[in-house]
Amino acid sequence: QVQLVESGGGLAQAGGSLRLSCAASGRTFSNYAMGWFRQAPGKEREFLASITRSGIIYYVDSVKGRFTISRDNAKNTVYLQMNSLKPEDTAVYYCAASMTPWGGSSRNEYNYWGQGTQVTVSS
């Protein structure tokens, strides 16, 4: 079992930045690929980015060039640096851990989920 806790959400203006953190405990953090998802009210959870155990990164096109995923295995933490924020980025952001080597872009490829942190971007 892995426990994940997101933090760093809040209010930003369009064009601003936020840095989300996801702290892991329970199992060995470095054994898992990690991903970030978001979910707006009434919409499905959307994949954003993933990072493998070895540091290989994938981004969905809508955030490529604006968001950066990283991990610090010594701190058992994964990060999402969000720059050039847009109102359409408003959502609850979730981190997730995957036992698959590549992480993946589908919800069913992730085994553990955090509680989410709210990000609101004003225009």
Side-chain angles (χ1 to χ4, degrees):
Q1 185 74 283
V2 174
Q3 293 79 46
L4 304 172
V5 180
E6 302 96 336
S7 62
L11 178 65
Q13 62 181 336
S17 298
L18 288 172
R19 191 190 195 198
L20 306 183
S21 298
C22 175
S25 62
R27 299 283 187 173
T28 303
F29 175 76
S30 60
N31 287 346
Y32 297 89
M34 300 295 297
W36 283 98
F37 292 73
R38 68 186 179 191
Q39 188 167 21
K43 297 184 178 180
E44 293 186 354
R45 196 163 296 187
E46 174 190 15
F47 170 78
L48 300 176
S50 62
I51 182 167
T52 70
R53 294 174 294 177
S54 61
I56 299 172
I57 292 170
Y58 176 80
Y59 299 102
V60 71
D61 285 345
S62 63
V63 306
K64 190 177 299 182
R66 299 191 299 126
F67 292 8
T68 302
I69 188 172
S70 62
R71 67 189 297 160
D72 187 338
N73 289 341
K75 296 181 179 180
N76 293 334
T77 302
V78 63
Y79 303 95
L80 187 68
Q81 177 68 47
M82 305 186 295
N83 298 325
S84 301
L85 284 164
K86 305 173 181 179
E88 52 262 44
D89 294 321
T90 296
V92 177
Y93 283 68
Y94 299 88
C95 69
S98 176
M99 294 186 292
T100 62
W102 60 90
S105 59
S106 300
R107 285 190 66 180
N108 61 12
E109 295 177 291
Y110 289 83
N111 306 95
Y112 306 102
W113 295 84
Q115 85 289 346
T117 185
Q118 177 71 47
V119 171
T120 302
V121 183
S122 61
S123 60

